[in-house]
């Protein structure tokens, strides 16, 4: 089947999509957008997190046909041209990235958290990131990065 | 496989009737796991997302009608204060990403004994609105909806349209035991709803029998003990919460499995029942929780 939707601001059509395929597969294997990662395909790890109509979701659990006519934003769509999003910058600066597999999902989820709550408490950060697993960092530097991004965001406003 | 995209409820019902091999999909948080892991290969997916009204809620006839496709996140934000028990349960489902997609309708459709919506729906005396093109609308009380592990009263040509429940008339609480605080399927769970006007208490037990169920004997015991008018305005008599907990534990029919033993589940249920009753009663005496 053909699926037409908006991805990172541009309207795209993809052909020959299998009806049982996930949005994650379409993004990675058919559209050349490998930012969202495939680690568990069962909603447990959050590494495939993308925005669907403004809400962060696990792309592995969205059927491709369900995005027809809708809007998807992936980690590739966060940077402004060559300029990284402040959340991305903070992850780099804090050393919140080791193997990097969890990073795109954490970045999108953090981006969504700060859009909703620019100055989150630690408890709110932990709650927001509860569905994103990292096997490398031990999370401390990820929390640092979220706090740094938040402080810059609130500082700038 | 085919992908069916009805744009209206009527069209969805017609497709459901004509395609017995189609699997409805809403948030996909159960369905897609099964497809990704090749547990299921349905002839078609019937996408209910385009039927926009399913993702809405309204007040009708003094009751809240929650569309089967309202994601948990919106349920919590938009009607959580009116259905605190269900909202507490919804907050424990999966992760934020799962709650942005998962729905009460999907939880009912999946009918896992561990589904978190079931205990608060039972405790609140909710009804499930289902419909088919040929048979019209049926209102099924939650306690008659669950027939077995992943089996429900839903007929092959029916779809779930909404759940109906009265806005809380008294305090409600939900409690769940699991290995961590997020992303966890319940080892067992319990919900309580006080119905002060009727001098009655509603209960729901999850993940401790083939189906979610009410603890009928515990409900009757409490209603009997608290029958007198003054009792509802005073502290709980000594030992009452403990006895209530025991009866709840006894109502369950748990099994030993990887998540816990039957004995542990009975014990945990008794503890949760005692605690949630105590919390609910404190709310009541403090005048919070809409009593
Ligand atoms: C990582 C993860 C964590 C989870 N954690 C929890 C948890 O903590 N607690 C919990 O209870 N659940 C949990 N779940 C399971 C799931 O998220 C819930 O059951 C959710 O409510 C399903 O809703 P959905 O809209 O995504 O359902 P879908 O996957 O779209 O559908 C589920 C079932 O219901 C049927 N169905 C859906 N809508 C209708 C309808 N309108 N009429 C008839 N049938 C219908 C479908 O055919 C399917 O059989 C988790 C799942 C994942 C992946
Ligand atoms: S790949 Fe989607 S949550 Fe793990
Ligand atoms: S950096 Fe390797 S999984 Fe998080």
């Amino acid at each position: 089947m053909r699926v037409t939707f908006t991805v990172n601001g541009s309207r795209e059509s993809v052909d020959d999509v299998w009806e049982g395929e996930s949005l994650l597969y379409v993004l990675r294997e058919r559209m050349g957008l490998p930012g969202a990662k495939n680690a568990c395909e069962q909603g447990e790890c959050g590494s495939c997190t993308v925005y669907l109509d403004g809400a962060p979701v696990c792309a592995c659990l969205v059927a491709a046909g369900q995005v027809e006519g809708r809007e998807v934003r992936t980690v590739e769509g966060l940077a402004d041209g060559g300029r990284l999003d402040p959340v991305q910058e903070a992850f780099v600066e804090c050393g919140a990235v080791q193997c990097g597999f969890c990073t795109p999902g954490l970045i999108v989820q953090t981006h969504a958290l700060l859009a909703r709550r620019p100055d989150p408490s630690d408890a709110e950060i932990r709650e927001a990131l509860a569905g994103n697993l990292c096997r490398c960092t031990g999370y401390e530097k990820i929390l640092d990065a979220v706090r740094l991004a938040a402080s810059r965001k609130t500082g700038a406003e | 496989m085919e992908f069916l995209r009805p744009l209206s409820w009527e069209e969805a019902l017609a497709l459901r009737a004509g395609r017995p091999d189609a699997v409805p999909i809403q948030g996909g948080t159960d369905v897609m796991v099964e497809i990704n892991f090749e547990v299921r290969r349905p002839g078609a997916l019937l996408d209910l997302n385009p039927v926009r009204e399913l993702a809405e809620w309204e007040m009708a006839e003094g009751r809240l009608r929650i569309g089967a496709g309202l994601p948990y996140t919106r349920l919590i934000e938009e009607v959580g204060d009116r259905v605190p028990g269900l909202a507490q349960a919804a907050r424990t489902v999966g992760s934020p990403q799962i709650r942005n997609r998962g729905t009460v309708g999907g939880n009912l459709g999946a009918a896992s004994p561990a589904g978190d919506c079931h205990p608060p729906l039972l405790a609140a005396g909710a009804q499930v609105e289902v419909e088919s093109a040929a048979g019209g609308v049926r209102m099924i009380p939650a306690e008659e909806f669950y027939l077995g592990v992943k089996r429900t009263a839903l007929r092959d040509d029916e779809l779930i349209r909404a759940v109906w429940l009265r806005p809380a008339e008294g305090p409600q609480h939900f409690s769940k035991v699991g290995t961590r605080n997020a992303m966890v399927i319940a080892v067992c769970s319990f919900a309580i709803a006080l119905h002060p006007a009727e001098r009655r208490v509603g209960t729901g037990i999850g993940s401790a029998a083939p189906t979610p169920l009410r603890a009928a004997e515990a409900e009757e015991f409490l209603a009997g003990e608290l029958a007198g008018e003054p009792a509802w305005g005073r502290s709980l008599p000594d030992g009452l919460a403990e006895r209530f907990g025991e009866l709840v534990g006894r109502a369950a029919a748990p099994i030993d499995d990887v998540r816990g033993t039957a004995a542990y589940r009975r014990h945990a249920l008794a503890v949760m029942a005692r605690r949630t009753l105590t919390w609910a009663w404190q709310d009541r005496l403090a005048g919070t929780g809409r009593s």
Side-chain angles (χ1 to χ4, degrees):
Chain A
M1 66 174 170
R2 162 177 279 210
V3 182
T4 302
F5 62 111
T6 302
V7 110
N8 299 329
S10 116
R11 194 143 177 100
E12 308 276 352
S13 286
V14 195
D15 285 313
D16 301 323
V17 175
W18 175 59
E19 288 72 13
E21 211 161 285
S22 69
L23 168 62
L24 180 63
Y25 189 90
V26 170
L27 292 170
R28 291 180 54 83
E29 310 297 336
R30 299 192 188 277
M31 304 184 83
L33 291 170
K37 295 284 174 276
N38 179 355
C40 75
E41 289 196 292
Q42 52 181 315
E44 296 281 349
C45 75
S47 60
C48 65
T49 304
V50 300
Y51 281 108
L52 174 61
D53 287 344
V57 304
C58 297
C60 68
L61 299 183
V62 178
Q66 292 189 293
V67 302
E68 179 69 37
R70 298 169 79 171
E71 216 164 297
V72 173
R73 193 174 179 200
T74 70
V75 70
E76 287 95 340
L78 296 187
D80 181 7
R83 212 191 125 76
L84 291 182
D85 182 88
V87 175
Q88 293 171 308
E89 275 176 354
F91 269 67
V92 173
E93 281 175 41
C94 292
V97 181
Q98 285 187 32
C99 80
F101 214 80
C102 66
T103 312
L106 276 158
I107 300 246
V108 173
Q109 187 61 17
T110 301
H111 191 268
L113 166 68
L114 297 185
R116 190 166 44 83
R117 213 167 246 296
D119 189 16
S121 67
D122 276 6
E124 285 169 332
I125 298 173
R126 284 171 187 277
E127 172 61 30
L129 302 185
N132 291 78
L133 300 184
C134 174
R135 301 306 304 266
C136 300
T137 64
Y139 299 103
E140 278 311 318
K141 297 199 168 173
I142 292 172
L143 294 179
D144 289 345
V146 180
R147 289 187 206 107
L148 178 65
S151 69
R152 287 197 182 144
K153 217 175 155 78
T154 44
E157 275 160 8
Chain B
M1 198 185 292
E2 271 184 79
F3 198 85
L4 309 171
R5 295 187 81 244
L7 297 176
S8 69
W9 177 246
E10 289 66 32
E11 203 188 329
L13 291 180
L15 285 169
R16 169 80 285 201
R19 290 296 302 260
D21 61 334
V23 167
I25 179 167
Q26 240 154 202
T29 59
D30 281 312
V31 172
M32 285 305 286
V33 174
E34 293 181 344
I35 291 183
N36 289 346
F37 285 81
E38 296 181 45
V39 177
R40 251 212 242 199
R41 273 286 177 273
L45 284 176
L46 178 61
D47 181 17
L48 296 175
N49 282 185
V51 184
R52 300 301 277 269
E53 62 175 82
L54 288 178
E56 299 304 328
W57 59 269
E58 61 178 337
M59 284 296 296
E61 299 154 33
R63 289 189 300 167
L64 191 61
R65 179 178 187 249
I66 298 175
L70 184 71
Y72 292 121
T73 305
R74 283 187 51 209
L75 183 148
I76 295 162
E77 280 168 15
E78 296 173 27
V79 296
D81 61 337
R82 271 170 273 189
V83 286
L86 184 59
Q88 282 179 20
R91 267 186 221 107
T92 74
V93 173
S95 63
Q97 291 95 321
I98 299 296
R99 292 193 290 276
N100 280 339
R101 289 293 290 162
T103 64
V104 178
N107 211 236
L108 284 166
S112 156
D116 285 321
C117 296
H118 313 316
L121 290 178
L122 286 166
Q127 287 191 308
V128 186
E129 179 185 345
V130 307
E131 189 173 347
S132 69
V137 176
R138 289 198 297 148
M139 297 293 280
I140 309 174
E143 63 191 303
E144 291 168 23
F145 187 79
Y146 313 107
L147 299 185
V149 176
K150 303 190 177 177
R151 279 198 310 117
T152 71
L154 198 69
R155 295 180 188 139
D156 285 345
D157 62 346
E158 283 177 329
L159 289 172
I160 304 164
R161 189 169 197 175
V163 294
W164 290 73
L165 60 177
R166 279 182 297 179
E169 293 138 340
Q172 303 184 342
H173 281 280
F174 172 79
S175 183
K176 166 174 169 181
V177 173
T179 43
R180 67 180 270 231
N181 214 356
M183 293 293 260
V184 113
I185 177 169
V187 174
C188 54
S189 59
F190 182 74
I192 193 168
L194 302 193
H195 303 286
E198 298 154 31
R199 298 276 177 266
R200 202 168 59 73
V201 172
T203 60
I205 295 175
S207 211
T211 65
L213 74 166
R214 284 173 55 183
E217 206 188 323
E219 289 182 12
E220 276 160 36
F221 161 76
L222 255 190
E225 293 291 313
L226 299 169
E229 162 80 24
W232 279 80
R234 287 208 297 262
S235 313
L236 274 183
D238 276 351
L240 201 69
E242 285 72 13
R243 179 75 187 128
F244 175 69
E246 273 167 37
L247 290 172
V248 168
R250 215 193 283 164
I255 53 167
D256 293 335
D257 68 12
V258 288
R259 282 177 282 139
T261 62
Y264 173 75
R265 285 189 161 100
R266 267 188 216 286
H267 172 74
L269 275 171
V271 172
M272 288 191 289
R274 169 167 56 75
R275 284 190 191 154
T276 51
L277 174 60
T278 309
W279 295 332
W281 212 262
Q282 282 164 356
D283 288 353
R284 181 164 168 75
L285 295 180
T288 55
R290 297 181 172 261
S291 32

